[in-house]
Amino acid sequence: MTKLFLCLHVLAAVVAVGPVTVAASMFPPALRRAHQAPGDRDALGTLRLLHRICRVYAAVGAAVPVLGFATAGVMGVMGSAWLIASTVLTAAAAAVLALLLLPAQSGELDALQDGTPGPVLRAPARLAMLTGLFNLLWATVTVLMIVRPGSTTGA
Ligand code: HEM
């Protein structure tokens, strides 16, 4: 059972977090291009698609902590320090994504559609900064999951 939950947990992380990482990282340069070509429908379409990928896979990503807790439950490691730290960092990554990054992307999209885009340099830079923060948080969680400081099990 542990192995099944762990496989599903890691699969969910790869399948859900991977696309968000790529699409969110592509969004700021695409936004810069859209700023430079106002009214360009292709540029807007690309932004819409990237935002949709981020939104849909963020929702799929909810399976990662659910399966993570299922794995931790059957392994009996619920109180481990590395797991608590990972949980806090995962919550922080989810908050950055759901409360800051996704609303900022949709805000920029709406503004472009209305013909009132945000500051040409500042808006993509802020989105790039939020994406970097999100990526750093989940990459740290992945390292914690593998290294498991203080754990006497595994490698
Ligand atoms: C609340 C959040 C999470 C919980 C409770 C959780 C729980 C766990 C548990 C119990 C394991 C098994 C560790 C072992 O084999 O001893 C594990 C492994 C793993 N987790 Fe998570 N996890 C969470 C979030 C994440 C996130 C956000 C990622 C990546 C995006 C991730 C990636 C991994 C990977 C790659 C492994 C395999 C490590 C290995 O077996 O070497 N986890 N997780």
Side-chain angles (χ1 to χ4, degrees), residues 44-108:
L44 201 59
T46 303
L47 280 177
R48 263 201 219 107
L49 177 65
L50 291 174
H51 175 58
R52 194 171 143 71
I53 292 171
C54 290
R55 242 188 22 231
V56 170
Y57 284 91
V60 177
V64 176
V66 171
L67 291 162
F69 283 124
T71 311
V74 287
M75 284 177 73
V77 293
M78 220 50 145
S80 313
W82 65 268
L83 193 85
I84 295 165
S86 304
T87 303
V88 171
L89 291 175
T90 301
V96 168
L97 183 62
L99 304 179
L100 300 173
L101 191 48
L102 292 178
Q105 284 181 352
S106 72
E108 289 304 322

Side-chain angles (χ1 to χ4, degrees), residues 6 9-10 13 17 64-65 68-69 71-72 75 77 82-83 87 90 138 141-142 145-146 148 153:
L6 183 55
H9 171 61
V10 175
V17 185
V64 176
F69 283 124
T71 311
M75 284 177 73
V77 293
W82 65 268
L83 193 85
T87 303
T90 301
W138 77 253
V141 174
T142 305
M145 298 268 126
I146 293 167
R148 300 188 294 277
T153 60

